[in-house]
Amino acid sequence: MHGYWGKLLRVDLTNRVCRVDDIPEETFDLLLGGSALGAKILLEETPAKVDPLSPENKLIFAVGPFQGVKFPGNGKWSVITKGPLTGTFLESAGTGHWAPFFKQCGFDAVVFEGRADRPVYVFIKDDGAEIRDAAFLWGKDTIETGELIKEDLGDRRINALNIGPAGEMMHPIACISCDGHSFAGRGGAGAVMGSKNLKAVAAWGTKEVPVHDPEKAAEFAKETFTLLYGQGEQFRAHGTPRVIVPLEGIGDTPIRYWRGDENKRGAALLGAPRYTEYLNVKPLHCINCPIGCHRHIRFEFPDGAVLEGNGPEYETIAMMGSNLLVEDLGAVAKANDRANRLGIDTISCGAWIGFLMECWEYGWITPRDTGGLSLKWGDPDVLLAMVEQIGTLTGMGEWFREGIRGAARHIGREAEKITVEVKNMDYPAHDPRAVYALGVNYAVGTRGACHERGNPQTSALGGYFPELGQDGPYDRQTPEFAARTAVIHQDVSVLMNCMTICQFMMGGGGLTLTEIRTAYRYLTGKDVPVEELVKFGERAWQLQRIINVRDGLDRKDDTLPMKMTVPAMVGPRAGKTPTPHDKILDDYYELRGWDRNGVPSRERLEALGLGRFAAFLP
């Protein structure tokens, strides 16, 4: 077997026992690895509707074949579990420096089972693992935890995936941090770690991954790195903040919790090039990355305080900035830093603050609820105060223990009608009224509303796949193209999370599917046509949907929030909505081979080689 070890590490936290299982080559031939491998394990080894925070839930970290050489973007890793926010399938991903070293330990994935009786962290090393005491780490933030683990292990090269205080308290939007600048941010995977008393997972391996043609694989990786470095110059210079102005220009950016139409001034103040200059930015690279999309900032506040470290990226700037009409970059950077250290998803956090501001505007929340705080749009002090409350589940943050749906029920009135979410997962910072494919992409999202398990917003900036028969991006505001655009982008996006390659190698550096195919051939010795390669992404998506259906989800859950049916009055999306949603959803189901209720058909599963998984459908 090339590109893989065929080994799965199991860590039983309850009994403090580690063992190694074999993974047959046929599994990788069918599913590739990463998120698809995790979905298979989750489907086969957890019961339907298992409580995500119970010991019976599994927590899986997995990588793919691309960690076998220094291929660009192979710092990516996937975490797969049942998520506390949606109660169903969750896959999230991060980067940093952990993934290749985990692979070099001799494993393709690790599964955490049960629950430790006291805080622990796990150190994975060549061919095994140690379960170590983490009492000295409990209560520490994500940055402190990473540093203390390096000290405890006596090696600063060792990186760890870890949770902050939010994960320890099983916060529904707790994330998992790597290197203090990359986060598996959405859906609450960090809460699952906390429920298992698992503070961190460190890894350091020295084994050489078996590769079909090591010389050609290494040479091609080096050539591709050089190519992407050149093509990624603009992305490296400004990172994701470079898209704030152009995305606002097409009506894609959230404004006033999705009620505003335009905010050109805010976009200019928050986005690049001002962002780069104002926060004194330098690119921050993950391992084997030619792009460096993360931002290292150094900003001095008027009172002399200095903030240095990981800076906010597009999603955070949009959700904590333009979404709230906050134009103070220093405040957004400070809010981002606090959220990162606590270990919470900045997207949902920003969405929740916007939701509260709108409820305040309608009079559904009063000073009696807020402790005298006026939740006014554009106030940076409110942003900072609410990040603290939400991140610690205190004050109004307590209302969100069950996510935005729980907060809306608590507030009452018409609050449930103004939320912008799918399956209790808040919308990320891209508007379906600007790109219709986003509406159905969010609606059918297997982990809830997601812009990275399908990212059709990139088509609005010129992204398309000629190898899949496209001669250009489909029209972004035409209903007839919405479903097909969503399917293509979902399959490619999920493929990247099965291979565990950073998506920005495509969007930021111009990596092509053909180049991925070539690298895969050198790594594994298997020559798979591009069309077949993309089917790995579809197989993963179908398995994820089976988990959703088994958990009781169907068409009734594939929804479009009411606000997305209200067109803008002015600007680039004036008069535009991704409707009729039911018709677009029908088109999508047909393309996927699902019935009218959104259940995968046995015929489609059989055609993909997934026939045996039909047994898990109700």
Side-chain angles (χ1 to χ4, degrees):
M1 190 185 309
H2 295 111
Y4 304 96
W5 296 105
K7 298 295 181 183
L8 173 70
L9 175 65
R10 291 187 181 273
V11 181
D12 179 346
L13 293 169
T14 300
N15 298 303
R16 292 181 173 249
V17 174
C18 302
R19 78 172 194 268
V20 179
D21 289 348
D22 292 331
I23 306 174
E25 187 171 3
E26 293 75 20
T27 297
F28 297 114
D29 288 342
L30 183 67
L31 301 175
L32 196 63
S35 63
L37 176 61
K40 174 184 180 293
I41 295 169
L42 198 68
L43 183 60
E44 293 178 335
E45 298 186 13
T46 59
K49 302 180 182 179
V50 66
D51 180 351
L53 301 180
S54 70
E56 290 71 34
N57 191 17
K58 301 289 177 79
L59 179 71
I60 306 151
F61 295 92
V63 293
F66 279 73
Q67 285 71 34
V69 293
K70 295 180 179 180
F71 194 80
N74 74 350
K76 179 75 84 176
W77 46 272
S78 283
V79 55
I80 305 96
T81 189
K82 288 287 189 76
L85 198 61
T86 66
T88 188
F89 175 83
L90 173 63
E91 186 268 336
S92 194
T95 49
H97 287 69
W98 184 86
F101 296 117
F102 167 72
K103 182 82 169 188
Q104 288 169 203
C105 292
F107 306 110
D108 301 296
V110 55
V111 179
F112 291 95
E113 305 169 336
R115 180 181 187 272
D117 59 358
R118 57 186 182 276
V120 299
Y121 82 92
V122 172
F123 176 37
I124 303 172
K125 51 189 179 179
D126 288 355
D127 300 318
E130 298 176 11
I131 300 174
R132 302 170 68 103
D133 178 71
F136 72 107
L137 298 171
W138 211 248
K140 304 298 183 183
D141 71 32
T142 59
I143 308 297
E144 294 171 319
T145 299
E147 289 298 312
L148 288 170
I149 287 175
K150 291 177 188 293
E151 292 178 14
D152 192 51
L153 295 174
D155 192 337
R156 295 200 58 78
R157 298 173 299 173
I158 298 175
N159 294 280
L161 312 182
N162 71 80
I163 58 173
E168 296 172 6
M169 68 176 68
M170 292 173 277
H171 198 300
I173 58 169
C175 55
I176 300 174
S177 169
C178 183
D179 297 348
H181 71 259
S182 183
F183 297 84
R186 310 225 63 201
V192 178
M193 280 186 71
S195 73
K196 296 184 178 301
N197 270 332
L198 178 62
K199 179 66 173 178
V201 183
W204 183 258
T206 62
K207 295 167 65 69
E208 187 173 335
V209 181
V211 171
H212 171 69
D213 193 329
E215 185 175 330
K216 286 185 178 179
E219 181 182 355
F220 187 71
K222 186 176 180 180
E223 292 172 356
T224 306
F225 189 99
T226 301
L227 177 67
L228 301 190
Y229 184 87
Q231 294 175 168
E233 181 179 358
Q234 283 298 311
F235 212 79
R236 183 166 52 257
H238 297 295
T240 57
R242 73 185 290 265
V243 302
I244 290 174
V245 171
L247 289 182
E248 190 281 333
I250 65 169
D252 185 56
T253 304
I255 302 164
R256 287 183 69 219
Y257 195 51
W258 307 100
R259 284 191 302 142
D261 296 342
E262 288 186 306
N263 187 17
K264 295 190 182 303
R265 168 189 160 88
L269 289 173
L270 293 167
R274 183 176 183 267
Y275 172 98
T276 304
E277 299 162 356
Y278 191 74
L279 296 179
N280 299 298
V281 170
K282 293 181 180 179
L284 186 59
H285 293 259
C286 298
I287 193 170
N288 301 324
C289 178
I291 307 299
C293 72
H294 293 294
R295 307 285 88 185
H296 181 275
I297 65 171
R298 190 183 189 282
F299 180 73
E300 185 172 344
F301 291 91
D303 64 1
V306 174
L307 175 62
E308 184 167 8
N310 183 49
E313 301 186 30
Y314 169 79
E315 296 292 327
T316 305
I317 299 166
M319 296 307 296
M320 291 186 170
S322 66
N323 177 51
L324 310 179
L325 300 185
V326 172
E327 298 176 347
D328 184 338
L329 258 179
V332 173
K334 189 173 183 179
N336 173 73
D337 180 74
R338 183 58 179 150
N340 286 350
R341 288 176 179 274
L342 287 168
I344 57 170
D345 172 24
T346 57
I347 295 175
S348 281
C349 183
W352 293 357
I353 297 170
F355 165 72
L356 291 174
M357 286 179 168
E358 186 170 343
C359 290
W360 170 269
E361 187 178 1
Y362 294 147
W364 301 341
I365 299 174
T366 70
R368 184 175 180 178
D369 299 304
T370 68
L373 188 66
S374 296
L375 304 186
K376 295 179 179 179
W377 298 104
D379 189 334
D381 292 332
V382 171
L383 165 63
L384 295 170
M386 290 313 305
V387 167
E388 190 66 28
Q389 288 189 30
I390 288 171
T392 57
L393 293 177
T394 56
M396 286 174 281
E398 174 72 24
W399 302 349
F400 293 91
R401 284 190 179 273
E402 297 180 357
I404 197 165
R405 290 183 178 180
R409 288 192 297 269
H410 175 87
I411 293 168
R413 310 289 183 93
E414 300 290 306
E416 290 184 89
K417 294 183 179 180
I418 70 168
T419 60
V420 181
E421 50 85 14
V422 173
K423 304 175 180 73
N424 206 27
M425 176 84 81
D426 306 277
Y427 263 31
H430 300 280
D431 195 316
R433 292 167 293 183
V435 182
Y436 286 4
L438 280 166
V440 67
N441 182 71
Y442 291 161
V444 300
T446 55
R447 70 171 192 173
C450 176
H451 68 295
E452 285 296 341
R453 307 309 179 273
N455 51 5
Q457 70 278 1
T458 60
S459 67
L461 298 177
Y464 69 101
F465 302 100
E467 300 104 322
L468 301 180
Q470 290 185 284
D471 55 10
Y474 295 134
D475 189 304
R476 63 185 172 89
Q477 290 178 310
T478 301
E480 67 182 281
F481 294 128
R484 182 166 297 279
T485 301
V487 166
I488 290 173
H489 283 270
Q490 284 170 356
D491 287 350
V492 173
S493 296
V494 177
L495 168 68
M496 299 294 277
N497 284 338
C498 295
M499 292 180 163
T500 55
I501 305 175
C502 177
Q503 305 233 26
F504 286 130
M505 297 304 102
M506 280 188 166
L511 181 69
T512 68
L513 289 168
T514 299
E515 288 160 346
I516 290 173
R517 176 195 180 189
T518 300
Y520 180 72
R521 183 173 73 248
Y522 291 147
L523 287 164
T524 66
K526 296 173 182 179
D527 190 8
V528 180
V530 166
E531 295 84 355
E532 293 300 313
L533 203 61
V534 173
K535 283 185 181 178
F536 283 116
E538 183 183 355
R539 289 190 190 99
W541 192 257
Q542 297 280 6
L543 286 181
Q544 295 167 17
R545 182 68 177 193
I546 292 171
I547 294 172
N548 289 161
V549 172
R550 190 179 65 155
D551 287 336
L553 276 63
D554 56 24
R555 188 185 186 105
K556 72 181 182 304
D557 303 288
D558 296 342
T559 57
L560 188 72
M562 185 176 67
K563 283 182 179 176
M564 295 302 118
T565 68
V566 179
M569 300 298 292
V570 297
R573 54 178 174 77
K576 302 289 187 178
T577 61
T579 53
H581 178 64
D582 279 346
K583 174 60 172 65
I584 297 173
L585 197 58
D586 284 340
D587 292 344
Y588 179 89
Y589 285 177
E590 183 177 355
L591 289 169
R592 280 291 184 215
W594 299 352
D595 68 18
R596 288 187 57 79
N597 207 31
V599 178
S601 68
R602 179 176 290 275
E603 292 75 16
R604 186 58 186 161
L605 296 177
E606 290 283 0
L608 291 168
L610 300 175
R612 70 182 181 88
F613 295 100
F616 290 97
L617 290 169

